[in-house]
Amino acid sequence: MSGLLSPKPVSYLQQPTPSYNPYVRGLGPYSETPPLSNAPLAHPVPHQPVGQQFMNNNIRADAVREDGKIYSLVIELLDPAMREGALLELSKKREQYDDLALVLWHSFGIMPALLQEIVSVYPLLSPPNLTAHVSNRVCNALALLQCVASHSETRQLFLNGMSLDNIIIAFVIDIFSAHIPLFLYPFLNTTSKTRPFEYLRLTSLGVIGALVKQNDNNTVIHFLLSTEIIPLCLRIMETGSELSKTVAIFIVQKILLDETGLTYICHTYERFYAVGTVLSNMVNQLVETQAVRLLKHVVRCYLRLSDNLRAREALRACLPEPLRDQTFSQLLKGDMVTKRCLTTLLNNLNEQ
Ligand code: TRP
């Protein structure tokens, strides 16, 4: 992973004065171009039933013991003295137990306990005062939230907030009817470059990333658009570690691929310009860092922006030069898909 880059964050509210601004001209109709086929997604590994005939008693007994262990760890989350250890153990085991999300969501008091972990860290954000120890602990809580955000049966519940039962005990931390992802925004909003903060931002982005990864419904995108996730992602794309940048641009790409998301981002010149500026700064950094994974996302984002006719016109003037010439041809050698995206993008811009 590359070191932390620290360019000055751009102010997205700055009023740009571009020489050429198709947005101030007649409002053309929005592009009706269908969304790109989505990049291959790593879907959660489906539950693999073990054939009964092969499941001997030993294995079954082990499975029962494992389940029992999971349940007792979940119960330990309710005990402040045991919570830290239980968070660690459960976050380690979360991949092995497919229905952990359901257990976490439906067990009384668990979601409030996880949210309480999160909220308890807020006072350490500003001024920045997060130790590695505290960061690890809250990141383990975030890993469990990610598990809930990823599971098809709990994802929507996660977006909507908590059940009445849970809300009743959540009064302590004043989270009535909250949309759970919003709890992560204060973490995404931090700017300290120290490792504990970087780790916290990356893990929080991971939860949002897990939400947008499932592309079976667009309620996630619509929810995120009603929040300020885009400026948060843009800032991380400017200033984060390479890994954070990758997750942040993945989220923005997912938003762009959604029809409403594209329309939203291209709706005003300021929004388009904010996204375009960050992408173009990334391109210029990529000439140095040669981070190919980021480059793929950047190309995909530009290509998708070019589906919108006004954005397409603006891109004719502001697509960064390294994407037009052969700067990245060596880096993209062998990556047919991205090369094809880049060619399509350039063709789109050349079309009248
Ligand atoms: N509230 C801001 C807006 O609606 C959010 C925002 C800032 C934004 N920068 C953006 C949205 C870039 C989309 C793209 O403009």
Side-chain angles (χ1 to χ4, degrees), residues 142-338:
L142 290 173
L144 298 186
L145 280 187
Q146 176 164 347
C147 173
V148 175
S150 309
H151 196 290
S152 59
E153 285 174 53
T154 46
R155 195 179 331 130
Q156 188 61 45
L157 300 165
F158 182 81
L159 282 184
N160 291 345
M162 292 187 294
S163 70
L164 195 58
D165 274 358
N166 273 331
I167 286 175
I168 289 167
I169 44 173
F171 73 94
V172 218
I173 44 177
D174 194 15
I175 48 180
F176 296 103
S177 73
H179 297 295
I180 294 175
L182 294 178
F183 281 82
L184 312 184
Y185 287 18
F187 297 163
L188 298 177
N189 202 25
T190 59
T191 50
S192 167
K193 297 270 173 215
T194 62
R195 265 185 73 89
F197 278 95
E198 181 50 48
Y199 184 40
L200 183 60
R201 277 192 298 272
L202 179 61
T203 314
S204 306
L205 280 174
V207 179
I208 312 286
L211 274 175
V212 297
K213 198 170 189 169
Q214 274 78 17
N215 53 344
D216 57 349
N217 69 37
N218 49 17
T219 50
V220 171
I221 303 290
H222 294 179
F223 166 75
L224 292 176
L225 289 179
S226 73
T227 72
E228 291 285 299
I229 192 70
I230 297 176
L232 291 173
C233 283
L234 291 179
R235 191 173 60 202
I236 294 172
M237 283 158 64
E238 286 266 312
T239 61
S241 67
E242 187 179 320
L243 217 47
S244 298
K245 285 180 176 171
T246 309
V247 187
I249 195 172
F250 173 79
I251 295 167
V252 170
Q253 183 185 329
K254 281 295 192 181
I255 292 174
L256 281 170
L257 287 175
D258 180 88
E259 216 42 67
T260 318
L262 180 65
T263 305
Y264 175 87
I265 286 181
C266 297
H267 188 65
T268 64
Y269 185 75
E270 286 68 28
R271 290 178 184 174
F272 167 81
Y273 182 80
V275 174
T277 305
V278 172
L279 288 175
S280 125
N281 290 343
M282 284 179 108
V283 169
N284 293 323
Q285 287 171 4
L286 284 167
V287 176
E288 294 299 313
T289 63
Q290 302 275 304
V292 68
R293 192 157 52 139
L294 267 180
L295 180 61
K296 288 178 193 196
H297 288 296
V298 172
V299 170
R300 281 305 200 109
C301 286
Y302 273 123
L303 174 58
R304 178 56 177 158
L305 282 171
S306 77
D307 284 338
N308 179 285
L309 294 183
R310 285 194 296 160
R312 181 180 296 194
E313 256 192 81
L315 285 175
R316 290 195 176 111
C318 71
L319 187 77
E321 199 50 36
L323 290 180
R324 298 176 193 265
D325 58 29
Q326 298 300 309
T327 304
F328 293 117
S329 62
Q330 192 58 30
L331 192 58
L332 291 180
K333 217 173 96 200
D335 184 348
M336 286 306 291
V337 178
T338 310

